[in-house]
DNA sequence: AACAATGACAACCGCCTGGCG
DNA sequence: ACGCCAGGCGGTTGTCATTGT
């Protein structure tokens, strides 16, 4: 609709990547590093759009990518983070090392949103669905469960090119600090359906501004701000594990911290649901925002 | 065995933001 | 202040595999 494509598609290869293309891209990036995506295809001898190259590298070829086998713990974490952040896939991915936003987005759309619906929870709002809807979902689940039983038995990773499946040992995920990611205060983001607010709070600068750039997979934060909004206390953005609101805890590295934070969030949410109290609304916004930095 | 329906996920698309001249 | 460009993001589509009839 009126907008020119990011690059001329004439003569460019599209669709699934071939092993040869993967090799060319990997070799080029190993030799010259990431970046300059627009000119990269030409230099690397690829008949691909730069965007396509970037996507392929970011989502599949990077050496630190962990494919498939999303563990139940990761499931749980994704659901919780989604309830806090909405469809901010890159932020959610930032908490799951080796996972990409695309993978998590796909996993959410194909598995988790359905699962939540089947459990009677609205995947967008994370609130309980009304009974009839929940029942209807249950009914649908029963209809399909027979067909799905065999499918979900084995956790597999699939390589598009050789189509082989392999077992991967489940790993207990460690919750990491978010990778520095550009963002706009989601409180004013029009895209986020699951997390809306009538107020606009700006962060002033992105995480990249704070740490001097670096993009995905690197860099640190330059600020360590504590917010106290009358009851909820949040630590805002610091690479130091001691101040990581997800990882850190009073006794150091207790996994229950996330649960505590989540509980706090839910309580704030409930307060708002019941009273529409402005102060609580601000608390909730501050809390969610603290997770973004 | 053939076909349809569905699931899974890789890839694409358009929009947005920040940096820079 | 403005426009252009590169990079990044989230939504959507396309394609292939699997399952059901």
């Amino acid at each position: 609709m009126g907008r020119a494509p990011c690059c001329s598609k004439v003569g460019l290869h599209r669709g699934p990547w071939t092993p040869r293309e993967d090799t060319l891209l990997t070799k080029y990036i190993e030799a010259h590093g990431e970046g300059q995506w627009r000119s990269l295809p030409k230099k690397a001898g690829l008949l691909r759009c730069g965007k396509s190259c970037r996507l392929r590298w970011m989502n599949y070829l990077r050496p630190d990518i962990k494919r498939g086998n999303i563990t139940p713990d990761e499931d749980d974490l994704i659901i919780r983070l989604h309830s806090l952040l909405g469809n901010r896939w890159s932020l959610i991915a930032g908490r799951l090392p080796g996972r990409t936003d695309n993978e998590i987005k796909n996993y959410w759309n194909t598995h988790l949103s359905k699962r939540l619906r089947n459990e009677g929870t609205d995947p967008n709002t994370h609130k309980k669905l009304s009974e009839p809807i929940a029942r209807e979902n249950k009914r649908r689940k029963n209809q399909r469960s027979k067909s799905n039983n065999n499918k979900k038995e084995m956790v597999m990773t699939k390589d598009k090119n050789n189509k082989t499946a392999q077992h991967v040992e489940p790993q207990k995920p460690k919750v990491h600090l978010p990778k520095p990611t550009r963002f706009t205060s989601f409180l004013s983001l029009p895209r986020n359906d699951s997390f809306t607010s009538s107020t606009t709070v700006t962060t002033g600068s992105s995480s990249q501004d704070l740490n001097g750039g670096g993009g995905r997979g690197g860099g640190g934060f330059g600020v360590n701000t504590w917010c106290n909004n009358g009851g909820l206390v949040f630590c805002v953005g610091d690479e130091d594990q001691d101040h990581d609101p997800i990882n850190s805890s009073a006794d150091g590295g207790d996994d229950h911290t996330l649960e505590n934070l989540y509980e706090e969030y839910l309580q704030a949410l409930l307060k708002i649901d019941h009273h529409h109290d402005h102060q609580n609304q601000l608390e909730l916004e501050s809390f969610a925002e603290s997770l973004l930095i």
Side-chain angles (χ1 to χ4, degrees):
Chain A
M1 273 214 279
R3 187 189 171 92
C6 70
C7 50
S8 168
K9 291 183 174 67
V10 181
L12 291 185
H13 194 200
R14 300 185 63 189
W17 280 64
T18 65
R20 184 178 166 275
E21 286 176 315
D22 282 348
T23 306
L24 280 172
L25 180 59
T26 305
K27 287 232 157 68
Y28 182 87
I29 290 174
E30 280 172 355
H32 302 94
E34 295 178 30
Q36 304 296 310
W37 294 109
R38 194 164 289 220
S39 58
L40 185 148
K42 202 172 181 182
K43 293 176 183 170
L46 286 160
L47 289 171
R48 289 274 182 178
C49 158
K51 258 187 167 181
S52 180
C53 293
R54 180 186 159 274
L55 195 74
R56 184 66 182 172
W57 173 256
M58 291 297 190
N59 287 333
Y60 304 99
L61 300 176
R62 277 193 306 172
D64 56 333
I65 295 288
K66 185 163 71 179
R67 309 281 318 148
N69 187 36
I70 292 180
T71 65
D73 288 327
E74 284 176 308
D75 271 8
D76 189 51
L77 185 57
I78 292 167
I79 291 167
R80 287 168 183 237
L81 287 169
H82 186 273
S83 73
L84 294 170
L85 302 169
N87 294 357
R88 314 289 295 280
W89 306 116
S90 63
L91 286 170
I92 294 170
R95 292 276 171 181
L96 292 153
R99 301 294 184 194
T100 67
D101 52 358
N102 206 35
E103 183 180 19
I104 290 173
K105 179 174 59 180
N106 282 330
Y107 189 70
W108 177 268
N109 288 333
T110 55
H111 295 89
L112 295 181
S113 66
K114 285 175 193 167
R115 198 179 94 194
L116 286 179
R117 247 182 242 116
N118 288 335
E119 290 168 358
T121 305
D122 186 330
N124 293 320
T125 62
H126 293 264
K127 291 177 184 172
K128 284 287 168 198
L129 288 164
S130 58
E131 271 305 304
I133 296 171
R135 254 202 306 269
E136 173 66 11
N137 281 323
K138 213 164 190 176
R139 197 176 59 82
R140 285 194 193 141
K141 182 187 172 187
N142 289 337
Q143 282 179 343
R144 292 214 57 77
S145 61
K146 200 177 139 191
S147 62
N148 287 336
N149 279 345
N150 296 334
K151 254 179 147 168
K152 304 290 170 65
E153 291 285 315
M154 209 167 59
V155 180
M156 301 164 112
T157 58
K158 190 172 69 176
D159 184 322
K160 177 103 185 170
N161 297 316
N162 57 23
K163 307 289 183 195
T164 55
Q166 59 189 91
H167 293 275
V168 183
E169 285 301 316
Q171 287 180 308
K172 177 100 179 167
K174 180 183 184 301
V175 183
H176 282 235
L177 275 168
K179 294 164 192 164
T181 309
R182 174 174 61 78
F183 69 91
T184 305
S185 172
F186 75 101
L187 297 170
S188 59
L189 271 183
R191 281 185 178 179
N192 193 330
D193 296 327
S194 63
F195 218 114
T196 57
S197 168
S198 58
T199 60
T200 300
V201 181
T202 56
T203 57
S205 61
S206 74
S207 57
Q208 284 183 339
D209 294 328
L210 297 173
N211 65 27
R216 297 156 78 101
F221 298 101
V223 294
N224 177 23
T225 307
W226 284 89
C227 306
N228 188 337
N229 281 306
L232 293 172
V233 181
F234 311 119
C235 173
V236 178
D238 190 273
E239 190 176 41
D240 186 346
Q241 291 284 325
D242 291 339
H243 302 302
D244 178 359
I246 301 296
N247 281 318
S248 68
S249 66
D251 59 5
D254 187 338
D255 286 345
H256 294 302
T257 304
L258 179 60
E259 300 211 1
N260 294 337
L261 282 166
Y262 185 67
E263 283 306 315
E264 286 178 20
Y265 170 77
L266 283 181
Q267 281 169 17
L269 196 63
L270 284 172
K271 280 189 207 170
I272 287 161
D273 281 349
H274 293 145
H275 307 301
H276 299 282
D277 180 72
H278 182 65
Q279 178 60 32
N280 289 329
Q281 177 78 25
L282 290 176
E283 287 178 13
L284 181 63
E285 287 167 358
S286 297
F287 174 77
E289 186 157 358
S290 72
L291 290 166
L292 301 179
I293 300 178

